[in-house]
Amino acid sequence: MTLFITHPDADLHETPPGHPEQVARLPAIRAALDDMDLRREEAPDGTDAQILRCHPQAYLDAITAASPTEGWAQLDADTYMSPGSLHAARLAVGAACRAVDAVLDEEAGNAFVAMRPPGHHAETAKPMGFCLFGTVAIAAKHTLEVHGLSRVAVVDFDVHHGNGTQDLLWEEARALFVTSHQSPLWPGTGERSERGAHDNVINVPLPPGSDGRTFRAKIAPALERLDAFAPELVLVSAGFDAHRADPLAQLEWVEEDFAWITERLCDLADAHAGGRLVSCLEGGYDLEALAASAAAHVDVLRRRENGG
Ligand SMILES: [Zn+2]
């Protein structure tokens, strides 16, 4: 069965009024998944050891010290902490690592983790773009270091470049990181020439206005590289802000495009990893499109897990 992990305390990560990364995002997703036949778990706390596989102690100390007792602490132009944010970010790390444990221990075939704040913009020692800890990169390191796997794929289809994941996995030859994103767009990185220390990063920039058909053509060579890499686990940074309704970008994807890439990633997992796939929520800021796209994504996971 597909495992779904979330936690009510993620909703205690509050952003200022009008901020797109808002509390209402997870309730919208939970409601959309409510009728689905899923195995449901609450996220456990993330540990220092998990976080320190990607971030230095001084960074963990600085984020901990920045946590406000009331109101907000502003870490950069877009990134805020409320009193509940540190706990929420640690739960997001714990949720991703727990999902890896459950899938590798065969308690579940695949998993979707819906937590906030997101993680793929957080660099080694820098919070950025709503993100505090590099959740998916931490899950990749957890896979390699704790479970001893030799090859993990990380695929990020959020509309923004996964600069943080790229930074955290740059020198990790056991991880192949593929990231598609609108370009030009914030954060401005993600050129094809950025390829990792071991040719282990593949950037797939997409021009503004790209629809799902353009995406399918442009991602095809990266899917071939992923197939040749033969990952033992597929991790996904599932951002749904490439949707045509999203206010933060200018791509033209619809729900079927998220279902299509999910099918391809399940194909990859089936071919090499016994179907093992763990997907973690990143962006997606139009609540209706977010809920519908996440439901399309999880519905594919659920059907594929059931052999459909
Ligand atoms: Zn995004």
Side-chain angles (χ1 to χ4, degrees):
M1 194 176 274
T2 294
L3 175 64
F4 173 50
I5 304 184
T6 185
H7 196 291
D9 287 359
D11 302 350
L12 301 178
H13 165 53
E14 296 179 280
T15 50
H19 196 288
E21 208 288 282
Q22 57 180 304
V23 171
R25 294 180 66 230
L26 294 190
I29 290 174
R30 293 185 197 115
L33 303 185
D34 204 36
D35 288 340
M36 279 190 205
D37 185 23
L38 303 169
R39 172 177 168 164
R40 293 159 198 275
E41 273 187 30
E42 280 200 352
D45 263 317
T47 66
D48 285 6
Q50 289 166 349
I51 294 166
L52 294 175
R53 289 195 185 96
C54 278
H55 301 284
Q57 181 74 52
Y59 178 74
L60 176 55
D61 292 345
I63 291 293
T64 304
S67 181
T69 53
E70 59 181 43
W72 286 283
Q74 183 172 8
L75 306 185
D76 74 4
D78 317 298
T79 311
Y80 293 82
M81 292 178 78
S82 70
S85 299
L86 179 63
H87 181 49
R90 294 187 68 110
L91 285 170
V93 168
C97 292
R98 164 62 192 147
V100 168
D101 293 344
V103 166
L104 292 182
D105 295 344
E106 299 183 354
E107 296 172 51
N110 55 34
F112 179 63
V113 174
M115 294 293 294
R116 309 172 37 252
H120 73 147
H121 295 305
E123 298 190 342
T124 304
K126 186 177 169 191
M128 199 169 149
F130 320 157
C131 302
L132 302 179
F133 301 128
T135 310
V136 162
I138 290 169
K141 291 286 191 182
H142 179 78
T143 301
L144 298 167
E145 303 297 336
V146 176
H147 291 278
L149 269 59
S150 336
R151 293 180 310 281
V152 59
V154 183
V155 180
D156 183 333
F157 58 75
D158 189 278
V159 81
H160 301 97
H161 178 228
N163 62 291
T165 308
Q166 173 173 298
D167 180 51
L168 296 168
L169 297 179
W170 187 261
E171 299 192 18
E172 179 50 81
R174 297 170 293 177
L176 179 60
F177 177 51
V178 171
T179 166
S180 65
H181 42 272
Q182 180 182 322
S183 177
L185 185 68
W186 187 94
T189 46
E191 299 292 327
R192 288 189 178 280
S193 56
E194 299 165 30
R195 295 171 58 167
H198 308 282
D199 206 19
N200 59 311
V201 171
I202 302 175
N203 275 288
V204 183
L206 304 167
S210 294
D211 61 8
R213 203 169 54 173
T214 304
F215 169 61
R216 290 170 205 214
K218 293 211 179 260
I219 198 73
L223 291 175
E224 283 176 24
R225 279 279 305 277
L226 284 162
D227 198 40
F229 181 67
E232 297 165 299
L233 175 71
V234 177
L235 295 176
V236 182
S237 264
F240 298 100
D241 41 9
H243 194 284
R244 67 188 338 161
D246 198 273
L248 295 196
Q250 293 81 40
L251 293 194
E252 295 288 337
W253 296 19
V254 294
E255 286 82 341
E256 289 73 23
D257 298 311
F258 294 103
W260 179 85
I261 185 61
T262 308
E263 293 276 11
R264 299 294 75 75
L265 297 175
C266 286
D267 291 345
L268 177 70
D270 279 351
H272 305 288
R276 300 182 302 197
L277 180 151
V278 171
S279 172
C280 299
L281 178 69
E282 300 285 0
Y285 303 102
D286 178 90
L287 293 179
E288 205 173 305
L290 170 65
S293 303
H297 176 62
V298 175
D299 192 50
V300 171
L301 297 183
R302 187 186 60 79
R303 284 191 292 100
R304 294 292 294 257
E305 164 59 8
N306 292 329

